Every structure is written in C-alpha cells, then in structure tokens.
Amino acid sequence: MYPNLYYFFKDAFGVDWNFLHFVNSFGFFVAVSFIISSIVLTKELKRKSKEGIFGPTEEKVVVGKPASVNELLINFVLGFVLGYKILGLFFTKENNINPQDYIFSAQGNWLAGLALGAIFAFIKWRDKNRQKLAQPETRVIRVWPHDRVGELTMLAIIFGLLGAKIFDTFENWDTFLKDPSSFFSMSGLTFYGGLICAGIALWWYTHKHHINFLHFIDVMGPVMMLAYGIGRIGCQVAGDGDWGIYNAAFKTAPTGGVFPATLNDFNATVAQQSAYFAGNSTHHAFFPKPGFLSFLPDWVFAYDFPHNVNEAGVPLANCAGKFCTHLPVPVFPTSFYETIMALILFGILWALRRRFKIAGMLFGIYLIFTGLERFLIEKIRVNVKMHLLGIEPTQAELISVLLIIAGVVMILILNRKNRAGTTPVKTS
C-alpha cells in the first residue's frame, strides 16, 4: 500500500522527496478521475453538439475594461491561500506530516503565500491590460455546453465531495460525535451522497443555462461510471478501509502477504489477536481460490492491506514508523473488484451510447448498473448496518435498491412518453 506518493516514489525510484507526503494516494486518483472524466465529457458534448442535439446560448460580456480592484484582490487572495498552504507543504521540513491536519491548521508559508498572491494578481492585471480598449464594449458571445465543462467539473467536485462527506457523517454519526473534526478528513466518503448532491447541483446548472437535462445525463452516465472505477483505484492503493469482510480461506504472514489457510487458522488468529478483534467484527466467509482461477495471485481473493493509510490492524514485523500495520486476517479487496466491474460497465455504456433514440434511456440503464453493482458488492463489504423494518441493510444497499427502481421506472416512463410523442428523441 502507498498512503501517499512519497512512499510510492521512494519504493519505485529510491528518492526521498519529502514534499510528496502531502499528496495522498486516494486524493491523487480522485483528481485523476475528474481530469479524465472531464476530457471524456468534453468529447461527448462536442459530439452531441455536432449532431445538433445541443446548441449554444448567447451571453453578454463587457470587453476592454481594465482589471478592477475587486478582481485583483480576489486573485491575490486565491494565490495567497494556495501559496500559503499548498506551496507551504512543499517547503515544510516536517516528516510524515498529515495533510488534513496541515490544511486545516494555521500552519503555512507566508513568503510563498505573498509571492503567489502577487503573481496571480499580476497575471489578471496583464490579461485585462492586453484586452483593454479605449472604449469598453458590450459583446454577445455564443457559449456551447462543452465550453462549460470547467464549471461543470468544479460543481461536481464541490458538491460531490460535500455530499459524500455528509452522507458518510450520517452513516457514522457516533464517530462524528466523538470527533467532529473527522468531517474535514478526505477519508470516509460515501459515493452515493456525492452522486445525489452533485446531481442536484448539475440539474440546477443545466436548467439555468438551457441545456437539455435528459440529453445531458445520458452523457454523464458513462462518465460517472468511469470516474467511479478510477476513484476506486485510489481506495485500493491507499487501503482506506473500503475493503471487504475477512476471507477465512487465507491467512496473513507477520511481515505481510497472504497464503492459503483453514477455518481453524482463522479461529486461532481471532483468539491470538483478541485485543484487536474485541472492537472489530469477525464477519467472514470461506472462499478458497477456484482451480480455474489458479493463475491469479492470492491477493485477488484475500489481501491484508499492509501499510494502509488508516493504520488499521496489527503491527507489521520488521517495520518501524508511520503506516506500519496490516490486517491480521486478509479481507476481500472489494475496491479492486469495484474497479474491474465499473470499468466493464463503463465499456458497455460507452458501446450503447449511440444506440438509444430516446433521451434519458442510457442514464436509466446507468442507474440500474450502478445500483446492481453496489448492491452485489455490499454482500462481502464491510459497512455500517441500519435497522429498518426488521431487516439490517447498509445505507448503500438501500440506496442501490432505490436507484435500480428509479432506473426501471425512468425507462418505463420515457418509453410511454415516447409512444405518446412527448419525449425528446436523439437524432443520432
């Protein structure tokens, strides 16, 4: 496991670059997922615009004005914050610094903040000065949906992360009450919370800018599935706790690594590590590696997540310092499974995207796919149980079922409206 990029570069290239401590592996892959998804989103919006599905909107802008004091001040403040905090992390001399603790503390580099603030303000002044006219003019410009991908991405990031954190907080309310500062940690994010909150924000934005929402969500379905698959790579690499229940068919070596075992070995480990298991579930399954999959490594079926970012588990032998733990019994690497499933489902959605003539149908299929995928993985995934009408579903299972139902209902309604001639039809 690589909790942050420092450990990856040290292991892969033998370099000791202290500033990489602040680049968490999970956050890095989340950023990669947004970047790649933005590229795919732009490509699809352009395709639909060429096919006449999306059109531009006209906006009035004033050109030729010099930079105002407010514009310069806003850019200076933005540059100062980034320099004080982000560049400050690059220049810090502390080892094993916790990025979240640093970001939400008063620590920072004043010189870097002032310098970057001045640079940001100068860039804004220079750009405005280059476009300055003797007499400022009001012009009408045409803005296409693909021109708004930057704004759409920022909305998805802000409301997606906020929603993911809010839903996780409700799911783990007792933990939040004990430590309210945990809300500001990047660990513990509920995907469905992000999906719901980002969806509401994007609906508002598309309505405001006259972008057909049904056509838009058809584009977003494959994009979100792709983003989810890439983001789960970060969960696997960092070992952030999004793993499965114990696989009692394997056991863990003291120095890390897994190998086949018996159920007696599992029971013996639980007894030997009674202090650890006293506060942790022993929910497990016994699933040996099938013979027809013997070519796959053991960690595909059970993994002990050594050096995980949560520092969960028991101490690793011959390891000292931070991130020196692993799980005493290996678990199903569900984040790895979800990456594979999500990328396969993305491929299916991508292949189907030109086939449907009714706008919104592809997104209905996405809802069914994403709900079914998560519902199935919850059967072997560690999660908080809810007490509801005599059953104990997880929050994700409940939302998964609702998404599947929503997808089916959406497809039926769109079909009915299409027969009645009231549903937008794709021209592709």
Side-chain angles (χ1 to χ4, degrees):
M1 294 293 94
Y2 299 106
N4 54 54
L5 293 192
Y6 169 83
Y7 293 96
F8 171 76
F9 275 80
K10 187 174 183 179
D11 185 38
F13 306 109
V15 296
D16 193 14
W17 293 343
N18 189 55
F19 66 87
L20 288 176
H21 277 292
F22 88 92
V23 187
N24 283 352
S25 298
F26 173 73
F28 172 78
F29 279 100
V30 168
V32 170
S33 73
F34 275 110
I35 292 171
I36 294 178
S37 298
S38 297
I39 294 171
V40 176
L41 176 61
T42 301
K43 174 183 173 65
E44 276 299 279
L45 290 176
K46 284 183 177 180
R47 178 181 70 83
K48 285 181 173 287
S49 295
K50 288 180 180 178
E51 293 174 353
I53 294 174
F54 291 129
T57 55
E58 294 184 344
E59 295 184 359
K60 292 182 179 181
V61 296
V62 178
V63 297
K65 290 177 62 177
S68 66
V69 174
N70 284 342
E71 288 176 322
L72 295 176
L73 184 60
I74 289 172
N75 277 267
F76 174 81
V77 171
L78 177 60
F80 175 81
V81 171
L82 291 175
Y84 184 73
K85 284 296 183 184
I86 305 303
L87 290 184
L89 277 168
F90 280 80
F91 295 117
T92 184
K93 296 181 179 179
E94 294 185 41
N95 291 316
N96 296 326
I97 190 169
N98 184 298
Q100 282 77 36
D101 291 344
Y102 182 92
I103 291 297
F104 292 102
S105 71
Q107 290 178 274
N109 188 302
W110 282 94
L111 182 60
L114 293 171
L116 194 60
I119 291 172
F120 272 40
F122 172 74
I123 291 174
K124 172 57 73 173
W125 173 84
R126 184 190 61 183
D127 288 346
K128 285 284 190 176
N129 194 57
R130 285 177 175 175
Q131 301 172 22
K132 188 168 63 175
L133 300 174
Q135 184 66 39
E137 302 174 358
T138 299
R139 297 177 182 174
V140 176
I141 61 172
R142 303 174 76 193
V143 183
W144 293 83
H146 56 260
D147 295 324
R148 302 184 187 276
V149 167
E151 296 175 4
L152 289 165
T153 301
M154 287 306 300
L155 270 179
I157 291 174
I158 294 170
F159 285 93
L161 292 178
L162 182 61
K165 199 62 195 179
I166 290 173
F167 273 63
D168 178 76
T169 299
F170 283 123
E171 188 176 22
N172 300 278
W173 188 250
D174 292 341
T175 301
F176 171 73
L177 292 178
K178 293 177 183 177
D179 180 20
S181 65
S182 63
F183 183 85
F184 300 103
S185 170
M186 278 297 291
S187 62
L189 298 175
T190 300
F191 169 74
Y192 284 148
L195 174 65
I196 293 169
C197 291
I200 294 172
L202 292 176
W203 171 84
W204 168 82
Y205 184 87
T206 54
H207 178 74
K208 176 183 177 182
H209 293 286
H210 309 290
I211 300 172
N212 185 283
F213 189 64
L214 285 178
H215 285 299
F216 177 75
I217 58 178
D218 271 346
V219 175
M220 287 300 298
V223 170
M224 289 188 292
M225 190 64 78
L226 175 62
Y228 186 70
I230 297 173
R232 280 302 188 205
I233 298 174
C235 296
Q236 178 69 23
V237 171
D240 66 352
D242 286 325
W243 48 60
I245 60 176
Y246 301 110
N247 186 352
F250 294 84
K251 60 183 178 180
T252 302
T255 55
V258 300
F259 51 96
T262 66
L263 191 56
N264 288 335
D265 292 321
F266 172 76
N267 294 328
T269 301
V270 172
Q272 292 168 3
Q273 301 289 347
S274 58
Y276 171 79
F277 284 102
N280 292 276
S281 170
T282 56
H283 188 201
H284 65 277
F286 190 87
F287 187 79
K289 182 195 298 186
F292 70 96
L293 295 177
S294 59
F295 63 94
L296 293 175
D298 289 343
W299 68 262
V300 172
F301 304 90
Y303 196 46
D304 62 328
F305 287 92
H307 310 287
N308 64 82
V309 69
N310 288 352
E311 298 186 271
V314 297
L316 273 164
N318 304 323
C319 182
K322 197 172 178 63
F323 307 120
C324 277
T325 60
H326 70 149
L327 303 181
V329 177
V331 298
F332 291 102
T334 50
S335 47
F336 173 74
Y337 301 158
E338 286 203 272
T339 292
I340 299 301
M341 288 191 289
L343 294 181
I344 290 174
L345 293 175
F346 162 72
I348 295 173
L349 290 170
W350 189 255
L352 293 175
R353 75 192 193 282
R354 295 174 183 265
R355 294 181 177 271
F356 292 101
K357 302 300 181 182
I358 305 173
M361 291 287 283
L362 187 65
F363 187 75
I365 294 175
Y366 162 77
L367 291 177
I368 296 172
F369 278 0
T370 192
L372 186 60
E373 180 275 324
R374 187 56 182 270
F375 183 82
L376 293 175
I377 206 69
E378 284 294 300
K379 299 304 178 184
I380 58 168
R381 189 173 179 269
V382 174
N383 229 324
V384 178
K385 298 285 187 180
M386 301 170 62
H387 301 282
L388 182 67
L389 301 176
I391 57 176
E392 294 186 337
T394 66
Q395 182 191 80
E397 282 179 325
L398 183 61
I399 297 177
S400 295
V401 171
L402 294 176
L403 288 179
I404 294 171
I405 294 173
V408 172
V409 171
M410 184 174 182
I411 290 172
L412 293 175
I413 291 175
L414 289 173
N415 264 319
R416 181 179 298 176
K417 286 187 175 182
N418 180 62
R419 287 196 296 268
T422 59
T423 301
V425 177
K426 296 183 179 181
T427 60
S428 56

